Amino acid sequence: VATVVTTTAVAHPRESIRRADRILGVLMLAPAVVYIVVLVAVPFLLAVFLSLTNSSAGSLEFSFVGLQNFENVVGNAVFRRALRNTFVFTFVSQLTVIVLGNVLARALMKPFFGKSIARFLILMPWAAPISLATLGWLWIFDSTFSVINWVLKVAGWLGPGQWYYWLGDTTLGMTAIIIIHVWRMLPFSTVILLAGLTSIPAEVHEAADIDGAGYFSKMFRVTLPMMLPILTVAVLFGVVFTFTDMSVVYLLTRGGPYNSTHVLASLAFQDGVLGGDVGRGASVAIFLLPVLLVMAVVMLRTSRRAEVL
Amino acid sequence: VARSARRVVATVGHRAVILGFIAFAVFPFYWMVVTSFKQNADLYVGAANTAHNPFIFNRAPTLDHLRTLFGQTMYPTWLFNTLWVGVVVVGITLLLAVPAGYSLARLTGRWGERLGIGIFLTYLVPSTLLFIPFSRLVSLLHLQNSLWSLVVIYPTFTVPFCTWLLMGFFKSLPKEVEESAMVDGCSRVEAIWRMVLPLSVPGILTVVIFALTLVIQEFVYSLTFISSVQRMTVSVGVPVALIRGDVYYWGSLMAACLITSIPIAFLYNLFLDRFIAGFTVGAIK
């Protein structure tokens, strides 16, 4: 056998190097792939499985209950409210982020004194740990000491006896949550959009100018189409990060007042971990899946159009 | 004259937009600074008192809150726990992601690119979907309330993104680096070890910083699996255990938030361009 191998190696030296490379490639890739399969793919399937059981935190015993958890969950007003909130928070905050992010990215395109400091300061909300940043906002929205209320009082917006209980009121609480999501995701979208704007060659703008294109036709016919892939990336990540976040709601309002500001993720935590009803928690979290799948598909299509695949 | 006036207006408008955004981004951090150094008598006045300006120090600044934070709370322990988990997770991440990234960039061809995108997509599977099955897994392994549970689980979000970043980095190196060494008689493994890795220090450093910041920022898993105060990480200990009963020690709380956030912001800023490249590979040509 040894002779045969040697002859092939001599006869096709390139082939055998390629084959050795292929084997080496598989060996180098295997640990990461095995890890991801065992600790992402399997738990992912386990999440689906648990949502079909009556598993609880105290014991490892469970029995199969079919779609019972989903029926209970969908019939629950708190859940339906959380589902709605998740979409409202994501949609409103990401729409704001994209509009403001475009304005800010364009502003940052121009050279000005102190630009690198400006970039550092604008990026800070994205770099800070979300739980600690939310804590900072919790203090800003404090019922007694809110600096926002002080400003509104001084400005005359709040009259004598008028007061905003930011986290004790559903509308104000939802507003506060959206403000934090916008604050946190704006730097991320801005730097991504900025990278996109910088990648448009100057000649393209010059050519459009020579052809007599005005500001708006340039924006809608030249800049936006060229920015579309990068805009998609910014929106996709923004949506995924906002849609699946539980830290902001958990630390700011705990889903209150009266469970009116919960999102899917925070409700799943309340039911599945704090409440110990693992099956129910899992079935709440499963409702994150459809949106995530859509996002994954859009991302794959974007990357294919940009000739990655 | 009209034209130069218009230019002045445009410049002023531009600076106003920039300053407005900076104010929005920085305000919570400014508020942390002010709160961390204010005396309690200056801090807890109440926003209804319009005569008391909360934006400035009405009394001399104090270091009391910092002294409390470092002397009478578990904050130093949480910092240590976080760094310990961070270092171990970074080690695991490098062991898994460096070979995988190289393999995807050089040794696997077309299916490797598809697999690379597949690995990247797992970064999108959120912790809020996985913490429930993980809580089962953690109790099966008897790792409840142990930092080892975080060591096992954190690479699930560091490995996919870091593999992706490193794949892009290795692709940007010219193939001649290994090929010339292999012509000189090195095996590929030797060529990687002697030629590629020394050139990859910037890429690996990016991954180290990125993985470390992700670990410091992580909240959901740590909140779910760690219950003893002395085993918490910073991101959970500060919001959960620094509040005693219903009493918020805002001075110390805000100092803790500030001290943890600022170094990460600096690190992030240093490596920003590489992170953006990671997120936008393919979307920019």
Side-chain angles (χ1 to χ4, degrees), chain A residues 21 25 35 55 107 127 131 244 306, chain B residues 14 103 128 136 152 188 217 235 282:
Chain A
D21 275 355
Y35 183 90
S55 169
S131 64
T244 62
Chain B
H14 176 250
S103 175
T128 41
R136 301 270 88 174
V152 171
R188 186 172 281 271
Q217 290 169 331
S235 65

Side-chain angles (χ1 to χ4, degrees), chain A residues 154-195:
Chain A
V154 170
W157 177 276
L158 287 176
Q162 278 186 310
W163 201 247
Y164 282 153
Y165 291 97
W166 284 95
L167 309 176
D169 174 276
T170 303
T171 315
L172 289 174
M174 289 176 73
T175 312
I177 290 164
I178 289 171
I179 289 175
I180 299 178
H181 279 307
V182 170
W183 177 79
R184 172 175 157 73
M185 290 311 295
L186 182 60
F188 177 78
S189 300
T190 303
V191 291
I192 287 192
L193 293 173
L194 192 58

Side-chain angles (χ1 to χ4, degrees), chain B residues 121-188:
Chain B
L121 283 180
T122 60
Y123 181 67
L124 295 183
V125 181
S127 56
T128 41
L129 183 63
L130 294 180
F131 68 88
I132 287 178
F134 275 146
S135 67
R136 301 270 88 174
L137 209 70
V138 164
S139 50
L140 270 177
L141 296 171
H142 298 289
L143 291 176
Q144 305 102 309
N145 200 16
S146 156
L147 286 174
W148 287 104
S149 65
L150 306 184
V151 168
V152 171
I153 284 167
Y154 280 2
T156 57
F157 55 83
T158 59
V159 168
F161 197 83
C162 292
T163 303
W164 178 259
L165 276 180
L166 284 165
M167 179 183 90
F169 186 83
F170 287 128
K171 274 186 180 167
S172 71
L173 292 178
K175 280 191 173 141
E176 287 76 43
V177 172
E178 303 102 291
E179 276 166 9
S180 64
M182 286 161 73
V183 167
D184 292 346
C186 280
S187 71
R188 186 172 281 271

Side-chain angles (χ1 to χ4, degrees), chain A residues 180-227:
Chain A
I180 299 178
H181 279 307
V182 170
W183 177 79
R184 172 175 157 73
M185 290 311 295
L186 182 60
F188 177 78
S189 300
T190 303
V191 291
I192 287 192
L193 293 173
L194 192 58
L197 282 175
T198 338
S199 74
I200 299 178
E203 300 88 68
V204 174
H205 289 288
E206 284 159 18
D209 285 337
I210 290 168
D211 291 345
Y215 177 80
F216 283 102
S217 71
K218 215 162 88 177
M219 184 160 108
F220 284 103
R221 298 227 180 117
V222 181
T223 316
L224 272 184
M226 292 196 77
M227 286 282 287

